[in-house]
Amino acid sequence: MEIEGISDEGSDGMTRRSVLAAGAMTATLSATPSLEAKPLPKSDAPQLTKVNLNVNGKRQTLSLDPRTTLLDTLREHLHLTGTKKGCDHGQCGACTVIVEGRRINSCLTLAVMHDGDAVTTIEGLGTPDDLHPMQKAFVAHDGYQCGYCTPGQICSAVAVLEEIKAGVPSHVSDDLLDIAYSDDEVRERMSGNICRCAAYPNIVAAIRDVAGENKA
Protein backbone atom coordinates (compact mmCIF):
# COMPACT_ATOMS: atom_id res chain seq x y z
CA MET A 1 0.00 0.00 0.00
CA GLU A 2 1.27 3.48 -0.86
CA ILE A 3 -0.07 6.89 0.22
CA GLU A 4 1.36 10.05 -1.33
CA GLY A 5 4.52 8.21 -2.27
CA ILE A 6 5.28 6.87 1.22
CA SER A 7 4.86 3.18 1.69
CA ASP A 8 3.99 1.41 4.92
CA GLU A 9 7.34 -0.31 4.77
CA GLY A 10 9.60 1.48 2.34
CA SER A 11 12.92 0.11 1.20
CA ASP A 12 14.71 3.07 2.78
CA GLY A 13 13.33 2.21 6.21
CA MET A 14 10.99 5.24 6.37
CA THR A 15 7.36 4.42 6.95
CA ARG A 16 4.24 6.52 7.12
CA ARG A 17 4.08 5.93 10.87
CA SER A 18 7.66 7.15 11.45
CA VAL A 19 6.99 10.31 9.44
CA LEU A 20 3.89 11.11 11.51
CA ALA A 21 5.74 10.41 14.77
CA ALA A 22 8.64 12.62 13.78
CA GLY A 23 6.28 15.45 12.84
CA ALA A 24 4.42 15.21 16.14
CA MET A 25 7.68 15.28 18.07
CA THR A 26 8.88 18.36 16.20
CA ALA A 27 5.62 20.19 16.88
CA THR A 28 5.77 19.31 20.57
CA LEU A 29 9.35 20.50 20.99
CA SER A 30 8.68 23.77 19.18
CA ALA A 31 5.66 24.47 21.40
CA THR A 32 7.39 23.68 24.71
CA PRO A 33 8.47 26.89 26.49
CA SER A 34 12.05 27.28 27.53
CA LEU A 35 12.69 25.81 30.97
CA GLU A 36 15.72 27.99 31.52
CA ALA A 37 15.41 29.72 34.88
CA LYS A 38 15.16 33.47 34.71
CA PRO A 39 16.51 35.51 37.60
CA LEU A 40 13.90 37.35 39.65
CA PRO A 41 14.12 41.12 39.56
CA LYS A 42 16.01 42.48 42.51
CA SER A 43 13.89 44.36 45.03
CA ASP A 44 15.53 46.92 47.22
CA ALA A 45 14.99 46.56 50.95
CA PRO A 46 12.48 49.12 52.24
CA GLN A 47 14.01 52.24 53.67
CA LEU A 48 13.16 52.44 57.36
CA THR A 49 11.64 55.56 58.82
CA LYS A 50 12.16 56.87 62.33
CA VAL A 51 8.87 57.24 64.22
CA ASN A 52 8.36 58.70 67.68
CA LEU A 53 5.25 57.68 69.59
CA ASN A 54 4.07 58.38 73.11
CA VAL A 55 2.42 55.07 73.95
CA ASN A 56 0.62 54.81 77.29
CA GLY A 57 2.70 57.67 78.64
CA LYS A 58 6.03 56.23 77.53
CA ARG A 59 8.07 57.63 74.66
CA GLN A 60 8.92 55.05 72.00
CA THR A 61 11.39 55.61 69.16
CA LEU A 62 11.12 53.04 66.38
CA SER A 63 12.62 52.43 62.95
CA LEU A 64 9.78 51.15 60.79
CA ASP A 65 8.93 50.24 57.26
CA PRO A 66 6.71 53.22 56.32
CA ARG A 67 4.00 50.75 55.29
CA THR A 68 3.63 49.40 58.85
CA THR A 69 0.19 49.99 60.33
CA LEU A 70 -0.24 51.39 63.81
CA LEU A 71 -1.84 48.07 64.80
CA ASP A 72 1.17 46.02 63.71
CA THR A 73 3.49 48.53 65.38
CA LEU A 74 1.71 48.07 68.70
CA ARG A 75 1.47 44.29 68.48
CA GLU A 76 4.63 43.23 66.67
CA HIS A 77 7.11 45.94 67.61
CA LEU A 78 5.97 47.04 71.06
CA HIS A 79 4.40 43.69 72.05
CA LEU A 80 1.22 45.36 73.28
CA THR A 81 -1.02 42.50 72.27
CA GLY A 82 -4.12 43.69 74.09
CA THR A 83 -5.10 45.49 70.91
CA LYS A 84 -6.54 42.75 68.69
CA LYS A 85 -6.35 42.14 64.97
CA GLY A 86 -9.81 41.05 63.89
CA CYS A 87 -10.89 41.79 60.32
CA ASP A 88 -7.86 43.98 59.48
CA HIS A 89 -10.24 46.03 57.31
CA GLY A 90 -11.65 48.52 59.83
CA GLN A 91 -14.98 46.75 60.06
CA CYS A 92 -14.97 45.06 63.49
CA GLY A 93 -13.42 47.59 65.89
CA ALA A 94 -11.27 45.04 67.73
CA CYS A 95 -8.19 47.17 67.05
CA THR A 96 -9.64 50.40 68.47
CA VAL A 97 -7.15 52.60 70.34
CA ILE A 98 -7.24 56.21 71.46
CA VAL A 99 -4.93 58.62 69.61
CA GLU A 100 -4.72 62.20 70.81
CA GLY A 101 -8.02 61.71 72.65
CA ARG A 102 -9.88 60.27 69.66
CA ARG A 103 -10.68 56.62 68.99
CA ILE A 104 -9.47 55.17 65.73
CA ASN A 105 -9.16 51.81 64.03
CA SER A 106 -5.43 51.19 64.27
CA CYS A 107 -5.48 48.72 61.37
CA LEU A 108 -6.44 51.50 58.95
CA THR A 109 -3.68 53.97 59.73
CA LEU A 110 0.08 53.94 59.31
CA ALA A 111 2.37 54.46 62.26
CA VAL A 112 4.33 57.15 60.38
CA MET A 113 1.15 59.23 60.22
CA HIS A 114 1.20 59.55 64.01
CA ASP A 115 4.75 60.67 64.64
CA GLY A 116 4.75 62.48 67.98
CA ASP A 117 1.17 61.49 68.84
CA ALA A 118 -0.04 60.13 72.17
CA VAL A 119 -1.51 56.64 71.83
CA THR A 120 -3.50 54.90 74.56
CA THR A 121 -4.14 51.17 74.35
CA ILE A 122 -6.05 48.92 76.71
CA GLU A 123 -2.81 48.38 78.63
CA GLY A 124 -2.63 52.12 79.26
CA LEU A 125 -6.15 52.45 80.64
CA GLY A 126 -5.65 50.18 83.62
CA THR A 127 -3.89 47.17 85.04
CA PRO A 128 -5.21 44.05 86.80
CA ASP A 129 -4.31 45.69 90.11
CA ASP A 130 -5.68 49.11 89.20
CA LEU A 131 -8.58 48.79 86.76
CA HIS A 132 -10.03 51.73 84.86
CA PRO A 133 -13.68 52.45 85.86
CA MET A 134 -14.81 51.20 82.45
CA GLN A 135 -12.92 47.97 82.93
CA LYS A 136 -14.53 47.53 86.33
CA ALA A 137 -17.96 48.17 84.85
CA PHE A 138 -17.43 45.61 82.09
CA VAL A 139 -16.58 43.04 84.76
CA ALA A 140 -19.50 44.02 86.99
CA HIS A 141 -22.04 43.92 84.15
CA ASP A 142 -20.56 40.90 82.38
CA GLY A 143 -19.90 43.00 79.28
CA TYR A 144 -17.78 40.37 77.62
CA GLN A 145 -17.87 36.68 76.83
CA CYS A 146 -14.97 35.39 74.73
CA GLY A 147 -13.18 38.68 75.43
CA TYR A 148 -11.56 39.07 72.02
CA CYS A 149 -13.36 42.30 71.16
CA THR A 150 -13.32 43.62 74.73
CA PRO A 151 -10.12 45.76 74.56
CA GLY A 152 -11.49 47.60 71.54
CA GLN A 153 -14.94 47.87 73.10
CA ILE A 154 -13.52 49.41 76.28
CA CYS A 155 -11.25 51.89 74.46
CA SER A 156 -14.17 52.91 72.27
CA ALA A 157 -16.52 53.22 75.25
CA VAL A 158 -14.12 55.52 77.10
CA ALA A 159 -13.86 57.74 74.04
CA VAL A 160 -17.63 57.69 73.49
CA LEU A 161 -18.30 59.25 76.88
CA GLU A 162 -15.70 61.91 76.14
CA GLU A 163 -17.42 62.64 72.81
CA ILE A 164 -20.78 63.08 74.53
CA LYS A 165 -19.20 65.24 77.23
CA ALA A 166 -17.57 67.43 74.57
CA GLY A 167 -20.89 67.86 72.75
CA VAL A 168 -19.92 65.96 69.61
CA PRO A 169 -23.18 64.99 67.87
CA SER A 170 -24.01 61.62 66.34
CA HIS A 171 -26.52 60.46 63.75
CA VAL A 172 -29.22 60.03 66.41
CA SER A 173 -28.70 63.33 68.24
CA ASP A 174 -32.00 65.23 68.45
CA ASP A 175 -30.46 68.61 69.24
CA LEU A 176 -27.04 69.32 67.75
CA LEU A 177 -26.48 72.07 70.30
CA ASP A 178 -27.43 70.00 73.34
CA ILE A 179 -25.83 66.55 73.32
CA ALA A 180 -26.92 64.45 76.27
CA TYR A 181 -26.28 60.87 77.27
CA SER A 182 -28.79 58.25 76.17
CA ASP A 183 -28.66 54.54 75.46
CA ASP A 184 -29.48 55.32 71.83
CA GLU A 185 -26.45 57.62 71.64
CA VAL A 186 -24.27 54.84 73.02
CA ARG A 187 -25.63 52.21 70.67
CA GLU A 188 -25.12 54.46 67.66
CA ARG A 189 -21.60 55.48 68.62
CA MET A 190 -20.56 51.94 69.54
CA SER A 191 -22.02 50.41 66.37
CA GLY A 192 -18.58 50.09 64.81
CA ASN A 193 -17.43 47.73 67.55
CA ILE A 194 -18.71 44.25 66.78
CA CYS A 195 -19.27 41.67 69.52
CA ARG A 196 -19.82 38.30 67.88
CA CYS A 197 -20.88 36.88 71.24
CA ALA A 198 -23.68 39.51 71.30
CA ALA A 199 -23.03 40.96 74.74
CA TYR A 200 -24.45 44.30 73.59
CA PRO A 201 -27.04 44.86 76.37
CA ASN A 202 -24.37 44.29 79.03
CA ILE A 203 -21.92 46.58 77.23
CA VAL A 204 -24.50 49.37 77.16
CA ALA A 205 -25.22 48.76 80.85
CA ALA A 206 -21.51 49.05 81.68
CA ILE A 207 -21.18 52.34 79.80
CA ARG A 208 -24.36 53.65 81.41
CA ASP A 209 -22.93 52.82 84.83
CA VAL A 210 -19.69 54.74 84.19
CA ALA A 211 -21.66 57.67 82.80
CA GLY A 212 -23.59 57.83 86.08
CA GLU A 213 -26.87 56.98 84.40
CA ASN A 214 -27.76 54.02 86.61
CA LYS A 215 -31.06 53.06 85.09
CA ALA A 216 -32.64 49.64 85.05
Side-chain angles (χ1 to χ4, degrees), residues 11-22:
S11 58
D12 58 357
M14 180 174 290
T15 65
R16 180 163 58 96
R17 180 171 296 175
S18 65
V19 171
L20 294 175

Side-chain angles (χ1 to χ4, degrees), residues 10-200:
S11 58
D12 58 357
M14 180 174 290
T15 65
R16 180 163 58 96
R17 180 171 296 175
S18 65
V19 171
L20 294 175
M25 181 64 71
T26 301
T28 301
L29 291 175
S30 62
T32 302
S34 173
L35 298 180
E36 182 181 354
K38 296 181 180 179
L40 295 174
K42 293 183 179 179
S43 59
D44 296 332
Q47 185 175 358
L48 300 183
T49 301
K50 184 178 180 181
V51 179
N52 293 300
L53 298 172
N54 186 346
V55 182
N56 299 330
K58 184 177 180 180
R59 181 182 176 87
Q60 302 283 357
T61 300
L62 303 164
S63 294
L64 301 172
D65 182 325
R67 298 168 294 184
T68 306
T69 64
L70 179 58
L71 172 59
D72 286 338
T73 299
L74 295 171
R75 288 183 56 84
E76 306 300 332
H77 294 268
L78 297 178
H79 308 295
L80 296 171
T81 55
T83 305
K84 303 304 182 189
K85 178 177 285 194
C87 65
D88 212 23
H89 287 79
Q91 298 175 347
C92 73
C95 68
T96 303
V97 296
I98 302 172
V99 178
E100 292 294 311
R102 298 179 61 185
R103 57 191 172 127
I104 66 169
N105 292 323
S106 58
C107 73
L108 293 183
T109 187
L110 301 176
V112 295
M113 299 169 62
H114 299 284
D115 187 42
D117 284 354
V119 180
T120 302
T121 70
I122 189 67
E123 292 91 346
L125 285 180
T127 66
D129 297 326
D130 184 20
L131 294 176
H132 184 278
M134 190 66 73
Q135 292 172 314
K136 292 181 180 179
F138 265 67
V139 173
H141 292 275
D142 198 19
Y144 59 91
Q145 290 186 33
C146 78
Y148 194 85
C149 73
T150 305
Q153 296 275 3
I154 291 176
C155 285
S156 191
V158 170
V160 159
L161 293 185
E162 290 299 321
E163 291 170 8
I164 295 173
K165 182 179 178 181
V168 178
S170 78
H171 180 69
V172 299
S173 299
D174 293 328
D175 186 345
L176 300 184
L177 299 179
D178 184 19
I179 309 302
Y181 177 93
S182 71
D183 286 356
D184 286 341
E185 284 282 0
V186 169
R187 292 188 182 98
E188 167 65 22
R189 294 169 191 263
M190 293 291 293
S191 60
N193 290 82
I194 306 301
C195 174
R196 302 191 189 281
C197 300
Y200 298 116

Side-chain angles (χ1 to χ4, degrees), residues 161 181 206-215:
L161 293 185
Y181 177 93
I207 299 172
R208 183 193 308 134
D209 191 353
V210 176
E213 304 286 336
N214 295 305
K215 302 175 182 177

